[in-house]
Amino acid sequence: MQSDVFPNADPPQPADNSRRSFMKQAGGALGLALAPPLVGQAERLTAYAKVIEGATDITLRVNGQARPVRVEPRVSLLDALREHLDLTGTKKGCDHGQCGACTVHVDGRRILSCLTLAVMSQGKEITTIEGLAQGEQLHPMQEAFLKHDGFQCGYCTPGQIMSAVACVQEGHATTDAQCREWMSGNLCRCGAYPNILAAVREVAGKG
């Protein structure tokens, strides 16, 4: 028995020409229209994944030498240098591109090796702290750091020196303020900043 208090469990369905029926039909048609491109994209992504997964043989040119190395595409330049090529002078600090401890030169420009993939560095000239000196002759920046005691614990020192060399080469060490600004990406937990600044300014003054 039907009443206003207890309506029928199966309410009457809208007519075929109602707005709800139209939306159902339109949704189905739209889904069919979109299905082939989505499947095609998934197939393309699968194809790319087959190409880039797994270890790959690459050659990095580091400190003037060609160094073959087998790494996975996800390996950073920092890890390739330290763990595969035993060049541990470059330090791993924050591993997020915030402290500058991993600074190296690539084609003469300073970069953060923790944010750079090793496979992207092929065909480029990579210089680490180990390649800065000429045999027993230290680089002028290394000598200046020793002279001004520009390090305390020494952990950030390789990155500081690599960044300092680039800072002078870029012409960004002509004043104390400019030098501080362009060296601000390299953090020193010991707080040896005045000594580091003195070293960089001395080398810049010689140029």
Side-chain angles (χ1 to χ4, degrees), residues 78 91-102 114 155 187 189:
L78 172 62
K91 302 303 182 188
K92 178 179 284 191
C94 65
D95 209 21
H96 288 81
Q98 297 176 350
C99 72
C102 65
C114 73
Y155 195 83
L187 304 183
R189 286 180 287 186

Side-chain angles (χ1 to χ4, degrees), residues 137-152:
Q137 181 62 46
L138 295 179
H139 188 280
M141 190 64 74
Q142 293 173 307
E143 293 180 339
F145 266 66
L146 288 172
K147 175 182 176 183
H148 293 280
D149 195 16
F151 52 87
Q152 290 184 23

Side-chain angles (χ1 to χ4, degrees), residues 90-114:
T90 304
K91 302 303 182 188
K92 178 179 284 191
C94 65
D95 209 21
H96 288 81
Q98 297 176 350
C99 72
C102 65
T103 302
V104 300
H105 294 177
V106 173
D107 287 343
R109 300 182 60 185
R110 50 180 162 170
I111 61 103
L112 298 171
S113 58
C114 73

Side-chain angles (χ1 to χ4, degrees), residues 24 75 98 127:
K24 287 182 178 178
V75 172
Q98 297 176 350
T127 304

